[in-house]
Amino acid sequence: MRHFSNLIFDGRLCSQIKGKIVQAKTRVLVIGGGLSGLISASLLAKSGHEVSLFEKKHYPFHRVCGEYISNEVIGFLKREGLFPKHVDSPGIENFEFSDTLGNRTQLKLDLGGFGISRFVLDQWLVDRARAFGVEIIERANVIEVKFDPKEDLFELELASGHRVQGDFVVAAHGKRSKIDKVLNRSFIQKRSPYIGVKYHIKANLDHKVVALHNFEGGYCGVNAIEDQKFNLCYLGSREQLRHFGSIEKMEQEILWKNPLLKAIFNESYFLLERPEVINEINFEPKNPVEDHLLMAGDSAGLITPLCGNGMAMAIHAGKLAAEAIQKGRSRAEVERIYRVNWDREFRRRLWVGRWTQKLFGSPFSSRLAFHILDKSPFLAYKIIKNTHGIPF
Ligand SMILES: Cc1cc2nc3c(=O)[nH]c(=O)nc-3n(C[C@H](O)[C@H](O)[C@H](O)COP(=O)(O)OP(=O)(O)OC[C@H]3O[C@@H](n4cnc5c(N)ncnc54)[C@H](O)[C@@H]3O)c2cc1C
């Protein structure tokens, strides 16, 4: 808190940085303390930058997320001292798919992943970030961000009224934030038909399997996380929720038509007091750099959850944003490096994810997807490969 007061009253602390040329040590402001924000903040602090991260909530907290992470991140997290090796995260090797009628098939995953709750993972990354010297400011809702081209400086305004200045901003505020409205980003104008719902459950299921069970209008992921628990998280329809009037009724009338889901709901013990729920989940394309902000993670584009790759992408994007700031010799160069690397890593994956999602959530298309997975594993592997990246 002492640091934060300095920061407020001193305004910009790193006053020696002027003009277009980026000095070795700059002051970076990170909006949002999810995976992309925490990773970029940690890497930048480790390389000597002065970093403040603003998170509107208070850690630890639950998020709507399937909590299956692709193994592509393990090497990176271990190298950077960010891998939560103290947690008993189950390794996940197989993929199970069921169509809306409950016909199921299984495939071995080429890369696989592991399960860990965001409650535990984010808290671990916050502790690491603090240890690396990041100033983490919780309950700090950023309501305005402005770039002053004359001063070559950013200014953030918090809901508390405080203003903070910095040389770079990593905008890691997730899939949708009031900040997007302030920035007048085009995707924010469009309404999304999706809702997301998450539970933690105790269930008698295979710990090595990540399952995707289809139902009319959406799909539900189930996979193991730490402490012998499972995550059950689904992407459903806002319209169906409106129609049935409650989550419970909608689940009984819609999700339970898939007998596999009905069995899981009836035979499991639900651990959270109530589900985590979000709406307005938007898969529209976005831009990785807007108004000189480096958009990292979902703020630059949310991959459809069926790919189970959003967390890996957020971690990777946090790394790319940090590297661009570390390597670029001018603001223009930082932005160019980030844009080029982001496009190379993610643009195609996001596109494949949007197209693959069309095979989910209806009786006909989920039946077709079932046949592809069951009868043409080669094609299925090709699609799956294109929905995630390679280890980095
Ligand atoms: C239904 C569903 C299931 C999913 N399942 C999986 C899965 O199994 N595997 C996977 O890899 N991915 C999954 N994803 C995607 C994954 O959750 C996201 O891609 C990932 O969390 C993105 O991380 P992030 O750092 O970009 O954003 P987030 O983790 O959302 O973090 C953004 C942070 O910014 C904060 N914030 C927002 N606005 C402000 C502000 N103005 N001021 C301050 N702070 C602010 C928020 O409070 C939040 O903490 C799923 C997504 C959905 C919707």
Side-chain angles (χ1 to χ4, degrees), residues 31-37 54-57 59 61 63-70 118 122 140-143 172-179 196-197 223 233-235 278 281 296-299 302-303 305 308-312 314:
I31 307 175
L35 298 176
S36 51
F54 303 88
E55 167 53 52
K56 70 177 179 189
K57 295 194 181 167
Y59 298 104
F61 55 92
R63 297 174 190 270
V64 173
C65 180
E67 303 178 332
Y68 163 89
I69 308 194
S70 163
R118 295 294 299 272
D122 292 17
N141 190 5
V142 178
I143 56 164
H173 51 269
K175 52 188 91 49
R176 193 181 180 91
S177 166
K178 283 195 180 134
I179 281 291
V197 180
N223 54 266
C233 183
Y234 64 86
L235 191 72
I278 51 168
I281 305 168
D298 286 356
S299 63
L302 170 62
I303 192 161
N309 205 243
M311 288 197 277

Side-chain angles (χ1 to χ4, degrees), residues 49-326:
H49 294 270
E50 191 181 350
V51 188
S52 300
L53 181 149
F54 303 88
E55 167 53 52
K56 70 177 179 189
K57 295 194 181 167
H58 177 62
Y59 298 104
F61 55 92
H62 290 289
R63 297 174 190 270
V64 173
C65 180
E67 303 178 332
Y68 163 89
I69 308 194
S70 163
N71 277 341
E72 72 206 55
V73 301
I74 289 183
F76 163 75
L77 292 179
K78 284 188 174 162
R79 273 195 316 280
E80 296 297 340
L82 294 168
F83 187 73
K85 58 174 185 270
H86 59 289
V87 182
D88 63 335
S89 305
I92 297 171
E93 298 167 3
N94 298 317
F95 172 60
E96 179 173 283
F97 177 94
S98 76
D99 66 13
T100 54
L101 298 174
N103 299 300
R104 65 171 143 195
T105 184
Q106 261 202 28
L107 276 182
K108 184 137 189 75
L109 288 164
D110 57 338
L111 195 53
F114 59 99
I116 181 168
S117 70
R118 295 294 299 272
F119 195 87
V120 167
L121 178 61
D122 292 17
Q123 181 65 64
W124 156 254
L125 291 174
V126 171
D127 293 344
R128 296 306 291 150
R130 281 207 174 101
F132 294 135
V134 177
E135 182 182 34
I136 305 247
I137 301 128
E138 299 178 59
R139 297 195 178 99
N141 190 5
V142 178
I143 56 164
E144 176 74 276
V145 47
K146 281 190 184 137
F147 178 69
D148 179 345
K150 276 202 199 116
E151 290 288 315
D152 197 26
L153 265 186
F154 283 98
E155 185 172 88
L156 303 187
E157 186 183 341
L158 308 184
S160 59
H162 293 121
R163 290 168 194 274
V164 190
Q165 293 181 325
D167 303 292
F168 287 95
V169 172
V170 177
H173 51 269
K175 52 188 91 49
R176 193 181 180 91
S177 166
K178 283 195 180 134
I179 281 291
D180 294 311
K181 273 202 185 126
V182 170
L183 295 168
N184 202 18
R185 301 182 78 195
S186 58
F187 80 90
I188 205 89
Q189 318 299 345
K190 301 185 186 158
R191 294 220 66 190
S192 156
Y194 298 110
I195 56 164
V197 180
K198 174 183 109 168
Y199 300 91
H200 283 168
I201 59 175
K202 286 271 183 192
N204 188 16
L205 297 166
D206 189 338
H207 283 78
K208 290 190 180 332
V209 171
V210 55
L212 269 185
H213 300 299
N214 277 265
F215 56 86
E216 180 89 51
Y219 51 89
C220 177
V222 185
N223 54 266
I225 54 170
E226 74 278 355
D227 294 341
Q228 304 290 312
K229 291 184 287 195
F230 283 81
N231 171 301
L232 185 156
C233 183
Y234 64 86
L235 191 72
S237 143
R238 179 165 51 95
E239 187 44 40
Q240 283 172 350
L241 177 57
R242 201 192 55 74
H243 178 78
F244 289 106
S246 76
I247 298 265
E248 202 181 348
K249 182 92 175 117
M250 178 187 70
E251 286 167 352
Q252 287 170 9
E253 296 295 333
I254 300 287
L255 278 74
W256 292 17
K257 287 201 172 127
N258 180 330
L260 301 179
L261 280 175
K262 185 175 182 182
I264 294 171
F265 270 88
N266 283 300
E267 291 163 19
S268 306
Y269 180 72
F270 283 68
L271 297 165
L272 302 178
E273 216 168 277
R274 63 184 78 84
E276 290 291 313
V277 184
I278 51 168
N279 58 15
E280 295 297 340
I281 305 168
N282 194 310
F283 303 108
E284 292 288 314
K286 304 174 187 168
N287 293 313
V289 181
E290 283 190 38
D291 293 335
H292 303 287
L293 300 163
L294 305 185
M295 303 284 174
D298 286 356
S299 63
L302 170 62
I303 192 161
T304 49
L306 64 98
C307 304
N309 205 243
M311 288 197 277
M313 284 175 56
I315 290 170
H316 201 163
K319 172 177 181 278
L320 295 183
E323 284 171 356
I325 293 171
Q326 287 156 351

